Amino acid sequence: MTTLNEAPKPRPRPQVMRLTEVAAAQIKDILARKDEPVAGVRVGVKNGGCAGMSYTMEYAQKQNAHDEVVEDKGVRLLIDPKAVLFLLGTEMDFKVDKLSSGFVFNNPNQTSACGCGESVSITPAKEEA
């Protein structure tokens, strides 16, 4: 219980993203083969493609001051602060098919995707009441 002079405790922040075991193992394997150390994997979204947006992933040489840091299954993800509301609740997986393999984003904020699978339409997550 808080008193008039005591500030209320902030609500715990939800984890922006989570990884499947397969995705975490794939990222660990990729990072283990890097010649130079990295701070983590930077994940974000960018405008472009026929559906409007696409997911981005790259090696992060350093953590930026405003990055949202997600530690999951031994992997460090650095989320671009402009992408947090677009990625909230997303699960990253790694799929292998007959002709391709790659990271897949299972995003509850995604409203549609283009036919080629390279771009998506995403609406920002709504703030909880």
Side-chain angles (χ1 to χ4, degrees):
M1 185 166 158
T2 60
T3 63
L4 292 177
N5 295 333
E6 189 179 323
K9 292 185 179 175
R11 232 178 359 165
R13 293 172 58 161
Q15 183 170 314
V16 176
M17 289 182 64
R18 65 186 187 285
L19 299 168
T20 64
E21 293 290 342
V22 175
Q26 186 68 24
I27 291 173
K28 287 178 190 176
D29 184 54
I30 291 168
L31 294 179
R33 291 186 265 139
K34 284 283 295 163
D35 291 334
E36 70 268 356
V38 296
V41 175
R42 187 171 313 285
V43 178
V45 295
K46 68 177 183 176
N47 291 330
C50 48
M53 300 184 97
S54 59
Y55 297 105
T56 62
M57 287 180 65
E58 63 186 13
Y59 298 115
Q61 301 303 322
K62 65 180 182 121
Q63 179 180 330
N64 295 332
H66 298 289
D67 284 340
E68 181 81 21
V69 179
V70 174
E71 302 269 353
D72 192 20
K73 298 174 181 66
V75 173
R76 175 180 259 204
L77 300 176
L78 303 175
I79 311 297
D80 180 342
K82 295 178 296 239
V84 168
L85 286 178
F86 292 104
L87 296 173
L88 195 60
T90 298
E91 176 188 68
M92 186 191 312
D93 197 4
F94 187 81
K95 297 284 185 187
V96 177
D97 295 326
K98 289 181 181 181
L99 299 175
S100 67
S101 63
F103 290 98
V104 177
F105 294 83
N106 299 313
N107 185 342
N109 306 304
Q110 184 174 313
T111 55
S112 65
C114 67
C116 66
E118 292 296 319
S119 66
V120 295
S121 179
I122 309 171
T123 57
K126 302 282 190 246
E127 189 174 325
E128 291 181 355

